[in-house]
Amino acid sequence: MLRYTLRRLLQLIPTLLGVTLLTFILFNVVGGSPAALVLGKNATAAALAEYDHLHGYDRPLVVQYIHFLGDLAQGDLGESIEYHQPVWDVIQDGIGISLALTVPILVLGTLLALLIGLVCAAYAGKRLDKVALAGTTALMSVNYVIWATAGQYLLAYKLKIFPVWGFENWTYLCLPVVIGIVSGLGTDVRFYRTVILDEINKPHVRTAMAKGLHPVVVLLRHVMRNSLIPVVTNVSLSVPFLFTGSILLESFYGIPGLGGIGLNAVNSSDAAMVRAVVIIGALLYQLSNLLADLAYAWLDPRIRLAEHKS
Protein backbone atom coordinates (compact mmCIF):
# COMPACT_ATOMS: atom_id res chain seq x y z
CA MET A 1 0.00 0.00 0.00
CA LEU A 2 2.89 2.36 0.79
CA ARG A 3 4.48 1.84 -2.65
CA TYR A 4 1.11 2.39 -4.29
CA THR A 5 0.64 5.64 -2.35
CA LEU A 6 4.13 6.93 -3.21
CA ARG A 7 3.61 6.11 -6.88
CA ARG A 8 0.34 8.04 -6.90
CA LEU A 9 2.00 11.01 -5.20
CA LEU A 10 4.80 11.08 -7.78
CA GLN A 11 2.25 11.03 -10.56
CA LEU A 12 0.78 14.26 -9.19
CA ILE A 13 3.96 16.25 -9.84
CA PRO A 14 3.82 16.50 -13.66
CA THR A 15 0.08 17.13 -13.55
CA LEU A 16 0.46 19.99 -11.08
CA LEU A 17 3.35 21.47 -13.07
CA GLY A 18 1.15 21.35 -16.16
CA VAL A 19 -1.64 23.13 -14.30
CA THR A 20 0.71 25.88 -13.10
CA LEU A 21 2.16 26.30 -16.60
CA LEU A 22 -1.26 26.53 -18.20
CA THR A 23 -2.44 28.98 -15.55
CA PHE A 24 0.68 31.11 -16.02
CA ILE A 25 0.16 31.25 -19.80
CA LEU A 26 -3.52 32.12 -19.47
CA PHE A 27 -3.03 34.96 -16.98
CA ASN A 28 0.38 36.32 -17.99
CA VAL A 29 0.39 35.84 -21.76
CA VAL A 30 -3.09 35.33 -23.18
CA GLY A 31 -4.85 37.51 -20.61
CA GLY A 32 -2.94 40.64 -21.57
CA SER A 33 -0.84 42.98 -19.51
CA PRO A 34 -1.24 42.56 -15.73
CA ALA A 35 -0.21 46.19 -15.35
CA ALA A 36 -3.16 47.34 -17.46
CA LEU A 37 -5.57 45.35 -15.32
CA VAL A 38 -4.24 46.89 -12.12
CA LEU A 39 -3.59 50.48 -13.24
CA GLY A 40 -6.52 50.79 -15.62
CA LYS A 41 -6.89 51.72 -19.26
CA ASN A 42 -5.93 55.35 -18.71
CA ALA A 43 -2.50 54.55 -17.27
CA THR A 44 0.45 56.11 -19.07
CA ALA A 45 3.09 54.07 -20.87
CA ALA A 46 5.64 55.14 -18.28
CA ALA A 47 3.42 53.95 -15.42
CA LEU A 48 2.83 50.62 -17.14
CA ALA A 49 6.55 50.15 -17.76
CA GLU A 50 7.37 51.02 -14.14
CA TYR A 51 4.79 48.54 -12.85
CA ASP A 52 6.11 45.79 -15.15
CA HIS A 53 9.68 46.43 -13.99
CA LEU A 54 8.69 46.52 -10.31
CA HIS A 55 6.88 43.17 -10.53
CA GLY A 56 9.23 41.51 -12.98
CA TYR A 57 6.84 41.38 -15.94
CA ASP A 58 9.49 42.81 -18.25
CA ARG A 59 11.73 39.76 -17.76
CA PRO A 60 11.73 36.70 -20.08
CA LEU A 61 8.72 34.44 -19.68
CA VAL A 62 10.85 31.52 -18.52
CA VAL A 63 12.27 33.62 -15.70
CA GLN A 64 8.78 34.85 -14.81
CA TYR A 65 7.48 31.29 -14.66
CA ILE A 66 10.33 30.14 -12.39
CA HIS A 67 9.68 33.11 -10.14
CA PHE A 68 5.96 32.25 -10.20
CA LEU A 69 6.70 28.68 -9.05
CA GLY A 70 8.93 30.02 -6.29
CA ASP A 71 6.17 32.29 -5.01
CA LEU A 72 3.70 29.39 -5.05
CA ALA A 73 6.13 27.22 -3.09
CA GLN A 74 6.29 29.95 -0.43
CA GLY A 75 2.50 30.33 -0.32
CA ASP A 76 2.56 33.73 -2.03
CA LEU A 77 -0.52 33.94 -4.26
CA GLY A 78 -0.16 37.62 -5.09
CA GLU A 79 -2.01 40.78 -4.12
CA SER A 80 -5.73 41.27 -4.62
CA ILE A 81 -6.59 44.52 -6.42
CA GLU A 82 -10.19 44.26 -5.23
CA TYR A 83 -9.51 43.78 -1.50
CA HIS A 84 -6.08 45.49 -1.38
CA GLN A 85 -4.52 42.73 0.67
CA PRO A 86 -2.69 39.44 0.05
CA VAL A 87 -4.81 36.87 -1.76
CA TRP A 88 -4.09 34.21 0.85
CA ASP A 89 -5.50 36.45 3.60
CA VAL A 90 -8.73 36.89 1.63
CA ILE A 91 -8.99 33.15 1.06
CA GLN A 92 -8.47 32.44 4.75
CA ASP A 93 -11.33 34.80 5.62
CA GLY A 94 -13.78 32.97 3.38
CA ILE A 95 -12.69 29.35 3.45
CA GLY A 96 -14.05 28.58 6.91
CA ILE A 97 -17.50 29.90 6.05
CA SER A 98 -17.60 28.00 2.75
CA LEU A 99 -16.55 24.76 4.41
CA ALA A 100 -19.15 25.26 7.16
CA LEU A 101 -21.73 25.44 4.38
CA THR A 102 -20.54 22.74 1.98
CA VAL A 103 -19.18 20.02 4.29
CA PRO A 104 -22.57 19.40 5.98
CA ILE A 105 -24.22 19.36 2.55
CA LEU A 106 -21.75 16.74 1.31
CA VAL A 107 -21.66 14.55 4.44
CA LEU A 108 -25.33 14.67 5.43
CA GLY A 109 -26.51 14.53 1.82
CA THR A 110 -24.35 11.47 1.08
CA LEU A 111 -25.42 9.60 4.23
CA LEU A 112 -29.10 10.38 3.70
CA ALA A 113 -28.98 9.42 0.01
CA LEU A 114 -27.17 6.17 0.85
CA LEU A 115 -29.72 5.30 3.52
CA ILE A 116 -32.69 5.97 1.24
CA GLY A 117 -30.99 4.19 -1.68
CA LEU A 118 -30.33 1.15 0.52
CA VAL A 119 -33.96 1.02 1.68
CA CYS A 120 -35.22 1.41 -1.89
CA ALA A 121 -32.95 -1.39 -3.09
CA ALA A 122 -34.05 -3.66 -0.24
CA TYR A 123 -37.71 -3.11 -1.18
CA ALA A 124 -37.18 -2.89 -4.94
CA GLY A 125 -40.43 -3.05 -6.89
CA LYS A 126 -42.60 -2.64 -3.81
CA ARG A 127 -44.76 0.31 -2.83
CA LEU A 128 -42.09 1.99 -0.69
CA ASP A 129 -39.61 1.84 -3.55
CA LYS A 130 -42.13 3.21 -6.04
CA VAL A 131 -43.04 6.12 -3.74
CA ALA A 132 -39.36 6.91 -3.21
CA LEU A 133 -38.66 6.80 -6.95
CA ALA A 134 -41.57 9.13 -7.62
CA GLY A 135 -40.27 11.51 -4.96
CA THR A 136 -36.74 11.50 -6.35
CA THR A 137 -38.07 12.14 -9.84
CA ALA A 138 -39.97 15.14 -8.51
CA LEU A 139 -36.84 16.41 -6.76
CA MET A 140 -34.81 16.10 -9.96
CA SER A 141 -37.48 17.94 -11.95
CA VAL A 142 -37.28 21.12 -9.86
CA ASN A 143 -34.59 23.61 -10.82
CA TYR A 144 -31.92 24.47 -8.26
CA VAL A 145 -32.84 28.19 -8.42
CA ILE A 146 -36.46 27.37 -7.58
CA TRP A 147 -35.39 25.42 -4.51
CA ALA A 148 -33.28 28.33 -3.28
CA THR A 149 -35.95 30.96 -4.01
CA ALA A 150 -38.87 28.96 -2.63
CA GLY A 151 -36.96 28.01 0.50
CA GLN A 152 -35.98 31.59 1.16
CA TYR A 153 -39.52 32.91 0.58
CA LEU A 154 -41.54 30.23 2.38
CA LEU A 155 -39.29 29.00 5.18
CA ALA A 156 -37.45 32.23 5.95
CA TYR A 157 -39.66 35.15 4.92
CA LYS A 158 -43.16 33.73 5.49
CA LEU A 159 -42.74 31.14 8.24
CA LYS A 160 -39.67 32.82 9.79
CA ILE A 161 -38.13 29.45 10.66
CA PHE A 162 -34.71 30.52 9.36
CA PRO A 163 -32.93 33.87 8.87
CA VAL A 164 -33.67 35.40 5.47
CA TRP A 165 -30.27 36.76 4.45
CA GLY A 166 -26.76 37.49 5.73
CA PHE A 167 -24.35 35.77 8.06
CA GLU A 168 -23.98 36.44 11.77
CA ASN A 169 -23.78 32.94 13.27
CA TRP A 170 -24.23 29.27 12.36
CA THR A 171 -28.03 29.50 12.25
CA TYR A 172 -27.75 31.49 9.01
CA LEU A 173 -26.27 28.39 7.36
CA CYS A 174 -29.13 26.04 8.29
CA LEU A 175 -31.48 26.95 5.42
CA PRO A 176 -28.76 26.89 2.70
CA VAL A 177 -27.62 23.49 4.00
CA VAL A 178 -31.18 22.13 3.85
CA ILE A 179 -31.65 23.49 0.32
CA GLY A 180 -28.30 22.05 -0.78
CA ILE A 181 -29.17 18.59 0.56
CA VAL A 182 -32.71 18.50 -0.85
CA SER A 183 -31.72 19.77 -4.30
CA GLY A 184 -29.15 17.00 -4.80
CA LEU A 185 -31.02 14.19 -3.07
CA GLY A 186 -32.98 12.97 -6.09
CA THR A 187 -29.97 12.30 -8.32
CA ASP A 188 -27.89 10.73 -5.55
CA VAL A 189 -30.65 8.41 -4.31
CA ARG A 190 -31.32 7.04 -7.79
CA PHE A 191 -27.59 6.56 -8.42
CA TYR A 192 -26.96 4.76 -5.12
CA ARG A 193 -30.10 2.65 -5.55
CA THR A 194 -28.85 1.47 -8.94
CA VAL A 195 -25.40 0.67 -7.57
CA ILE A 196 -26.79 -1.27 -4.59
CA LEU A 197 -29.30 -3.16 -6.74
CA ASP A 198 -26.51 -4.22 -9.07
CA GLU A 199 -24.59 -5.62 -6.09
CA ILE A 200 -27.64 -7.32 -4.55
CA ASN A 201 -28.14 -9.41 -7.69
CA LYS A 202 -24.63 -10.89 -7.57
CA PRO A 203 -24.08 -14.58 -6.68
CA HIS A 204 -22.20 -14.04 -3.41
CA VAL A 205 -25.11 -12.04 -1.98
CA ARG A 206 -27.62 -14.73 -2.94
CA THR A 207 -25.33 -17.31 -1.33
CA ALA A 208 -25.21 -15.31 1.91
CA MET A 209 -28.99 -15.06 1.94
CA ALA A 210 -29.29 -18.81 1.27
CA LYS A 211 -27.10 -19.53 4.30
CA GLY A 212 -29.69 -17.85 6.48
CA LEU A 213 -27.90 -14.60 7.33
CA HIS A 214 -30.15 -11.76 8.43
CA PRO A 215 -31.02 -9.42 5.52
CA VAL A 216 -29.67 -6.39 7.41
CA VAL A 217 -26.33 -8.16 7.95
CA VAL A 218 -26.17 -9.09 4.26
CA LEU A 219 -26.93 -5.52 3.18
CA LEU A 220 -24.37 -3.91 5.46
CA ARG A 221 -21.56 -6.48 5.30
CA HIS A 222 -21.78 -7.92 1.80
CA VAL A 223 -23.63 -5.30 -0.24
CA MET A 224 -22.57 -1.92 1.13
CA ARG A 225 -18.82 -2.59 1.27
CA ASN A 226 -18.72 -3.80 -2.34
CA SER A 227 -20.88 -0.85 -3.42
CA LEU A 228 -18.55 1.74 -1.94
CA ILE A 229 -16.28 2.18 -4.96
CA PRO A 230 -18.95 3.96 -7.05
CA VAL A 231 -19.94 5.88 -3.93
CA VAL A 232 -16.34 7.04 -3.43
CA THR A 233 -16.21 8.10 -7.08
CA ASN A 234 -19.38 10.14 -6.74
CA VAL A 235 -18.20 11.81 -3.54
CA SER A 236 -14.71 12.53 -4.90
CA LEU A 237 -16.24 14.44 -7.82
CA SER A 238 -17.99 16.71 -5.30
CA VAL A 239 -14.97 17.37 -3.08
CA PRO A 240 -13.37 20.11 -5.25
CA PHE A 241 -16.51 22.20 -4.87
CA LEU A 242 -15.91 22.32 -1.12
CA PHE A 243 -13.26 24.97 -1.74
CA THR A 244 -15.28 27.49 -3.71
CA GLY A 245 -18.54 26.57 -2.04
CA SER A 246 -21.86 26.91 -3.73
CA ILE A 247 -21.78 30.23 -5.56
CA LEU A 248 -25.53 30.26 -6.05
CA LEU A 249 -26.35 29.51 -2.41
CA GLU A 250 -23.86 32.08 -1.13
CA SER A 251 -25.26 34.70 -3.51
CA PHE A 252 -28.90 33.99 -2.62
CA TYR A 253 -28.36 34.01 1.12
CA GLY A 254 -25.65 36.65 1.44
CA ILE A 255 -23.00 34.30 2.81
CA PRO A 256 -19.47 35.81 2.53
CA GLY A 257 -17.70 32.62 1.49
CA LEU A 258 -15.23 31.83 -1.27
CA GLY A 259 -17.97 31.45 -3.85
CA GLY A 260 -18.89 35.11 -3.49
CA ILE A 261 -15.24 36.13 -3.33
CA GLY A 262 -14.48 34.27 -6.56
CA LEU A 263 -17.51 35.78 -8.29
CA ASN A 264 -16.49 39.31 -7.24
CA ALA A 265 -12.97 38.62 -8.48
CA VAL A 266 -14.27 37.70 -11.93
CA ASN A 267 -16.55 40.76 -12.09
CA SER A 268 -13.77 43.12 -10.98
CA SER A 269 -11.04 41.49 -13.15
CA ASP A 270 -9.03 40.64 -10.04
CA ALA A 271 -6.59 38.40 -11.91
CA ALA A 272 -4.54 37.40 -8.85
CA MET A 273 -7.62 36.20 -6.98
CA VAL A 274 -9.06 34.33 -9.98
CA ARG A 275 -5.67 32.72 -10.61
CA ALA A 276 -5.44 31.61 -6.99
CA VAL A 277 -8.92 30.07 -7.09
CA VAL A 278 -8.02 28.19 -10.29
CA ILE A 279 -4.74 26.85 -8.88
CA ILE A 280 -6.09 25.83 -5.50
CA GLY A 281 -9.18 24.31 -7.13
CA ALA A 282 -6.97 22.25 -9.46
CA LEU A 283 -4.81 21.16 -6.52
CA LEU A 284 -7.85 20.15 -4.54
CA TYR A 285 -9.20 18.22 -7.52
CA GLN A 286 -5.94 16.28 -7.84
CA LEU A 287 -5.87 15.53 -4.11
CA SER A 288 -9.45 14.30 -4.21
CA ASN A 289 -8.53 11.97 -7.07
CA LEU A 290 -5.56 10.72 -5.05
CA LEU A 291 -7.72 10.03 -2.00
CA ALA A 292 -10.26 8.28 -4.21
CA ASP A 293 -7.52 6.05 -5.69
CA LEU A 294 -6.27 5.19 -2.21
CA ALA A 295 -9.81 4.40 -1.12
CA TYR A 296 -10.23 2.14 -4.17
CA ALA A 297 -7.05 0.28 -3.28
CA TRP A 298 -8.16 -0.14 0.33
CA LEU A 299 -11.64 -1.36 -0.65
CA ASP A 300 -10.41 -3.68 -3.42
CA PRO A 301 -6.80 -4.98 -3.10
CA ARG A 302 -6.98 -6.24 -6.69
CA ILE A 303 -6.48 -2.64 -7.82
CA ARG A 304 -3.06 -2.57 -6.14
CA LEU A 305 -2.12 -5.87 -7.71
CA ALA A 306 -3.15 -4.72 -11.17
CA GLU A 307 -1.10 -1.53 -10.73
CA HIS A 308 1.92 -3.54 -9.62
CA LYS A 309 1.71 -5.92 -12.62
CA SER A 310 1.43 -3.03 -15.07
Side-chain angles (χ1 to χ4, degrees), residues 209-271:
M209 294 291 291
K211 289 181 177 180
L213 292 179
H214 195 280
V216 175
V217 176
V218 174
L219 285 174
L220 295 179
R221 182 180 300 176
H222 297 278
V223 176
M224 276 303 300
R225 179 177 176 85
N226 293 322
S227 302
L228 285 180
I229 287 183
V231 173
V232 169
T233 301
N234 190 52
V235 172
S236 67
L237 293 175
S238 304
V239 169
F241 296 100
L242 293 179
F243 174 71
T244 54
S246 176
I247 295 178
L248 188 60
L249 283 177
E250 291 183 4
S251 301
F252 261 94
Y253 296 101
I255 300 172
L258 287 179
I261 292 174
L263 188 60
N264 290 335
V266 173
N267 294 332
S268 61
S269 299
D270 191 346

Side-chain angles (χ1 to χ4, degrees), residues 11-303:
Q11 289 174 355
L12 286 180
I13 297 175
T15 304
L16 293 177
L17 286 176
V19 169
T20 59
L21 179 60
L22 182 60
T23 306
F24 174 81
I25 293 174
L26 288 175
F27 285 91
N28 292 64
V29 181
V30 180
S33 171
L37 290 175
V38 176
L39 301 180
K41 298 180 180 179
N42 298 324
T44 63
L48 293 174
E50 182 180 357
Y51 184 91
D52 286 340
H53 180 72
L54 180 63
H55 293 84
Y57 294 126
D58 56 348
R59 292 180 290 182
L61 289 176
V62 175
V63 177
Q64 291 185 47
Y65 178 64
I66 295 175
H67 182 72
F68 173 65
L69 290 179
D71 290 340
L72 287 180
Q74 298 175 24
D76 184 2
L77 299 174
E79 190 86 9
S80 170
I81 61 175
E82 172 71 12
Y83 298 94
H84 304 290
Q85 56 180 317
V87 169
W88 182 243
D89 292 345
V90 179
I91 291 176
Q92 284 181 312
D93 292 338
I95 192 170
I97 299 174
S98 286
L99 290 177
L101 171 66
T102 53
V103 169
I105 292 176
L106 178 66
V107 175
L108 297 179
T110 300
L111 293 177
L112 183 59
L114 268 175
L115 177 61
I116 298 175
L118 189 62
V119 172
C120 289
Y123 293 92
K126 298 182 180 179
R127 180 177 298 179
L128 180 61
D129 181 40
K130 293 178 179 179
V131 171
L133 287 178
T136 56
T137 302
L139 290 175
M140 294 170 61
S141 303
V142 180
N143 188 274
Y144 192 75
V145 177
I146 296 178
W147 282 117
T149 306
Q152 189 177 49
Y153 179 75
L154 295 175
L155 299 179
Y157 179 70
K158 284 294 185 181
L159 300 179
K160 302 186 184 302
I161 300 176
F162 302 102
V164 177
W165 193 87
F167 180 78
E168 295 181 10
N169 52 57
W170 66 270
T171 60
Y172 285 78
L173 297 176
C174 292
L175 180 57
V177 168
V178 170
I179 297 301
I181 292 174
V182 171
S183 62
L185 199 59
T187 303
D188 288 345
V189 167
R190 295 181 75 92
F191 175 75
Y192 295 145
R193 174 186 178 274
T194 302
V195 169
I196 294 170
L197 271 178
D198 181 63
E199 192 65 32
I200 284 178
N201 294 323
K202 289 185 177 179
H204 72 276
V205 177
R206 293 198 298 267
T207 301
M209 294 291 291
K211 289 181 177 180
L213 292 179
H214 195 280
V216 175
V217 176
V218 174
L219 285 174
L220 295 179
R221 182 180 300 176
H222 297 278
V223 176
M224 276 303 300
R225 179 177 176 85
N226 293 322
S227 302
L228 285 180
I229 287 183
V231 173
V232 169
T233 301
N234 190 52
V235 172
S236 67
L237 293 175
S238 304
V239 169
F241 296 100
L242 293 179
F243 174 71
T244 54
S246 176
I247 295 178
L248 188 60
L249 283 177
E250 291 183 4
S251 301
F252 261 94
Y253 296 101
I255 300 172
L258 287 179
I261 292 174
L263 188 60
N264 290 335
V266 173
N267 294 332
S268 61
S269 299
D270 191 346
M273 181 63 68
V274 176
R275 182 178 62 192
V277 171
V278 170
I279 292 175
I280 297 179
L283 176 62
L284 188 60
Y285 185 78
Q286 292 298 318
L287 289 177
S288 66
N289 284 340
L290 172 64
L291 292 177
D293 287 342
L294 296 179
Y296 296 156
W298 177 70
L299 292 169
D300 190 350
R302 292 174 298 179
I303 295 177

